[in-house]
Amino acid sequence: MLKIMGYDWAERCQHVPFGVVQGMKTRRGDVTFLEDVLNEIRLKMLQNMASIKTTKELENPQETAERVGLAALIIQDFRGLLLSDYQFSWDRVFQSRGDTGVFLQYTHARLHSLEETFGCGYLNDFNTACLQEPQSVSVLQHLLRFDEVLYRSSQDLQPRHIVSYMLTLSHLAAVAHKTLQIKDSPPEVAGARLHLFKAVRYVLANGMKLLGITPVCRM
């Protein structure tokens, strides 16, 4: 069909077999339609965001809820082998901590906020030799593995390698964010740390886009 429609990349397409998602139910019953799932995602994310003060500052809460919700669903689906069956859980999907799409989006938004707060003062003044702390080194070493992970996923057509990589990067960034202060640090040190966090956000954004996720800058 794709070939008839005139897409020259149709010949390169491959079918990747996938397993069964068990326990995915919405209010309309046992038969689950994609439209129901997307509506349920948007509703649940809006409910979760309603209790967060910063939600009031969002220009389009509906759009943010949809993007975060889709990230939650995609990461849940791509965490394991595509051929494996798994038990779906709405509660697990929407956890803001742990290995979830919500956590990925939260990390990206948090790092974006960091750039907005300090970017003007530090992005032009930095020295990478200042990144000597164990937390900095761990993040840098993990960033260097991105190409390797992309290659691995391209070979076996399994997105779980990218998902695992990004979740680990988010956890490393969370630890680094707590220990590597930018405020009140010497300009060279602050600039180096800010560039490190910017690199993390850049890789997270690219990784999410590869999986069909649109990164959010606020949530």
Side-chain angles (χ1 to χ4, degrees), residues 108 111 115 146 197-207 209:
H108 182 273
L111 295 176
E115 288 177 45
F146 191 43
F197 290 126
K198 184 178 181 179
V200 171
R201 187 188 66 77
Y202 182 79
V203 170
L204 282 178
N206 281 327
K209 289 173 185 176

Side-chain angles (χ1 to χ4, degrees), residues 80 188 193:
E188 279 193 338
R193 290 174 177 176

Side-chain angles (χ1 to χ4, degrees), residues 53-102:
K53 295 179 181 179
T54 54
T55 300
K56 298 177 182 179
E57 302 171 7
L58 295 174
E59 292 182 3
N60 193 335
Q62 291 271 354
E63 183 180 84
T64 300
E66 184 170 328
R67 289 178 176 179
V68 176
L70 281 172
L73 189 64
I74 289 172
I75 294 301
Q76 170 81 0
D77 213 31
F78 285 174
R79 277 184 61 190
L81 282 168
L82 292 180
L83 194 55
S84 299
D85 301 344
Y86 72 89
Q87 189 70 30
F88 183 85
S89 166
W90 284 110
D91 293 334
R92 186 170 63 248
V93 163
F94 290 111
Q95 287 177 354
S96 58
R97 297 182 180 181
D99 294 342
T100 65
V102 178

Side-chain angles (χ1 to χ4, degrees), residues 37-51:
V37 174
L38 296 179
N39 289 336
E40 192 90 3
I41 282 173
R42 190 183 302 109
L43 178 63
K44 286 180 179 292
M45 277 309 308
L46 281 171
Q47 290 172 346
N48 289 356
M49 290 162 54
S51 60

